[in-house]
Amino acid sequence: MVVRVGDLYQALADHTRRLILDELTERDGQTLFEICGRLATRHQVTSSRQAISQHLDVLEAAGLVITRRQGRYKFHHLDTRPLRAVAERWLGAEPRQETP
Amino acid sequence: MRINLTSVYVDDQAKALRFYTEVLGFVKKTDVPTGEHRWLTVVSPDAPDGVELLLEPDAHPAAKAFKEALAGDGIPLTQFAVDDVAAEHERLRGLGVLFTQEPVDMGPVATAVFDDTCGNLIQIAQYK
């Protein structure tokens, strides 16, 4: 699997984008409207809808968000696979036993 | 001055009347032929003399483009108040209504968003 690591870290560097991932963790598959509503009412994020849409584009480019069209609606889904690749890079695939 | 009437643009008035009365539970108030279409309004059974909702044809090409753009981003056209969003969501889901947003607690208000089958998204809101 090819991971665009640079994009990934830049995507995670932004506070609002991390909040979007938090909200998608709570409930996967949200419209832009729902994401904007959650950010505004739960996190006092006052960014415009256009700004949130651009944040979602960055998350999508990093492979953290996948968009799905269902009928006339577009839903955003969380994809944690790139994060798993990060964990494996430094932590290894298997947790090592501590030796005292 | 007071608000007397508000509108939703529907793709088919007969279908809209069925959905807004049989599924949502509004009652028909006015139904007058106006050439190709009808002057067709519904009201809440709780407020028969309150604000009327006009089921207005979306025949104008701009109306269709507007509806498509809103729906794509999940943005509701209008909002109706309910006493209990979770209960109403459960009731409507049982009747086959599609929700684009399940009930979410948004602080002073709980909301959900559903498809009215006539091209619009409608938000229901419970104010605490």
Side-chain angles (χ1 to χ4, degrees), chain B residues 17-33:
Chain B
L17 182 63
R18 279 198 303 278
F19 183 83
Y20 278 79
T21 57
E22 292 169 21
V23 179
L24 298 189
F26 293 125
V27 291
K28 187 165 82 172
K29 174 121 181 185
T30 310
D31 188 355
V32 180

Side-chain angles (χ1 to χ4, degrees), chain A:
Chain A
M1 177 184 164
V2 178
V3 182
R4 290 156 293 182
V5 175
D7 291 345
L8 178 65
Y9 297 137
Q10 277 180 21
L12 291 171
D14 183 88
H15 176 63
T16 301
R17 290 199 284 271
R18 290 196 300 273
L19 288 176
I20 291 172
L21 297 180
D22 288 342
E23 291 300 324
L24 288 176
T25 303
E26 182 172 315
R27 198 173 76 75
D28 197 28
Q30 294 183 36
T31 62
L32 175 60
F33 176 77
E34 181 173 354
I35 292 168
C36 290
R38 283 169 175 261
L39 291 176
T41 59
R42 298 176 150 194
H43 303 287
Q44 288 74 51
V45 172
T46 54
S47 311
S48 67
R49 182 174 285 129
Q50 191 185 10
I52 302 301
S53 182
Q54 285 168 358
H55 281 310
L56 285 166
D57 288 345
V58 173
L59 290 169
E60 190 176 3
L64 292 166
V65 163
I66 291 173
T67 58
R68 173 178 60 92
R69 280 216 166 258
Q70 181 186 317
R72 300 159 57 228
Y73 316 116
K74 189 164 104 176
F75 293 96
H76 302 81
H77 292 266
L78 182 66
D79 188 345
T80 56
R81 281 176 298 177
L83 299 177
R84 209 160 286 141
V86 169
E88 284 165 9
R89 177 171 168 185
W90 285 295
L91 299 178
E94 294 292 325
R96 279 185 302 175
Q97 291 292 321
E98 290 284 328
T99 46

Side-chain angles (χ1 to χ4, degrees), chain B residues 70-119:
Chain B
L70 289 189
D73 285 336
I75 301 170
L77 180 72
T78 190
Q79 183 193 83
F80 301 142
V82 295
D83 294 332
D84 184 336
V85 160
E88 195 65 23
H89 166 257
E90 199 58 34
R91 183 184 80 83
L92 293 176
R93 205 176 50 170
L95 292 170
V97 174
L98 171 78
F99 278 77
T100 61
Q101 183 207 298
E102 306 288 302
V104 180
D105 191 336
M106 301 273 192
V109 64
T111 66
V113 179
F114 65 82
D115 184 325
D116 79 348
T117 72
C118 305

